[in-house]
Amino acid sequence: IGRYGDSPFIYPLYGLGGIPEGFSRLCAIYGGTFILNQDIDEVLFENGQVCGVRSGDQVAKCKTLICSPSYVLNTGHTNKVKQIGQAIRCICIVDHKISAVHKEAESVQIILPQRQTGRKSDIYIMMVSQIHQVTKQGFYLAIISATVETDNPEKELDFALSIIGPVKEKFIKISPMYKSLSLIHISEPTRLLSISYAVFCLKKKKIYQLQLSHT
């Protein structure tokens, strides 16, 4: 506890790039092969089951394939995945902490329950700061994630944006969400389905209760 600073996240310093970096080290220790910036040309099957992937003249054999749905779609296996909706993500650069959060907190995760927002699904807010080496001093990175439910996805984030407060700059991306229809495991886990949400491991450090109202 406290190894990564006063944060509820076991989150790599200098951003998410630390995750593949750490994985590549473990992969080398345990005799695995880690390939960077390499696409695949074909998913290989044997007796109807995945047995490997091919990239150019190189073949990697496997018993289980865990991958992004983009690899499955780009190799022509559109019958192996099914789009089940869309996810919207909004990355906000701000120069203040979220006012609803304890003043000492330098990072936070907020879940806005669907009942509170009148939606069919929850909205997620994550804030990180300079303690993770992802922003400079005095700036914070707030990320909103939600399932698209209407034909105006950006409008669906208004309540979350009102909690964050004034935004210096924001970047919005809408992505399709897929589920696997085969033995190929789509590597975008959430609490329930294999869809497009990032998962963050929490550690027990400090617990702050938030009183949020929907007006």
Side-chain angles (χ1 to χ4, degrees), residues 125-199:
I125 303 174
M126 182 191 76
M127 184 193 76
V128 288
S129 62
Q130 72 276 358
I131 68 169
H132 299 102
Q133 308 298 331
V134 294
T135 62
K136 68 177 185 178
Q137 187 75 26
F139 284 84
Y140 301 83
L141 201 63
I143 303 172
I144 308 170
S145 300
T147 301
V148 174
E149 297 182 356
T150 69
D151 56 1
N152 189 358
E154 190 170 347
K155 183 70 175 175
E156 297 181 43
L157 304 183
D158 282 355
F159 184 35
L161 288 168
S162 69
I163 292 173
I164 292 174
V167 174
K168 289 288 186 181
E169 191 166 358
K170 64 182 178 181
F171 308 88
I172 294 177
K173 182 177 182 180
I174 299 174
S175 307
M177 300 187 300
Y178 297 92
K179 72 173 182 178
S180 175
L181 300 178
S182 69
L183 294 178
I184 299 175
H185 300 283
I186 305 303
S187 63
E188 294 181 313
T190 61
R191 291 155 48 199
L192 298 176
L193 295 173
S194 299
I195 55 178
S196 308
Y197 277 121
V199 168

Side-chain angles (χ1 to χ4, degrees), residues 7-130:
S7 168
F9 299 104
I10 300 178
Y11 187 94
L13 298 182
Y14 309 107
L16 287 174
I19 292 179
E21 181 182 1
F23 182 80
S24 67
R25 292 173 180 171
L26 285 174
C27 192
I29 291 172
Y30 290 98
T33 302
F34 194 86
I35 304 173
L36 291 172
N37 196 28
Q38 183 71 44
D39 208 345
I40 63 173
D41 299 314
E42 184 181 4
V43 178
L44 304 176
F45 292 85
E46 188 175 287
N47 299 323
Q49 295 186 346
V50 176
C51 64
V53 295
R54 179 182 64 82
S55 178
D57 296 329
Q58 295 181 317
V59 173
K61 293 289 187 177
C62 68
K63 294 181 179 179
T64 302
L65 175 62
I66 302 174
C67 67
S68 164
S70 62
Y71 290 105
V72 181
L73 294 171
N74 291 342
T75 53
H77 298 289
T78 55
N79 62 323
K80 302 296 183 182
V81 294
K82 177 183 178 181
Q83 184 173 344
I84 57 173
Q86 292 179 305
I88 180 170
R89 296 182 181 85
C90 180
I91 300 175
C92 303
I93 299 175
V94 298
D95 60 359
H96 59 276
K97 296 181 181 179
I98 297 175
S99 60
V101 177
H102 193 281
K103 64 180 181 179
E104 294 181 3
E106 292 292 332
S107 61
V108 68
Q109 183 184 45
I110 300 173
I111 300 176
L112 303 177
Q114 51 189 292
R115 290 184 180 180
Q116 192 170 346
T117 58
R119 291 169 45 85
K120 298 177 182 178
S121 57
D122 300 340
I123 298 176
Y124 301 86
I125 303 174
M126 182 191 76
M127 184 193 76
V128 288
S129 62
Q130 72 276 358

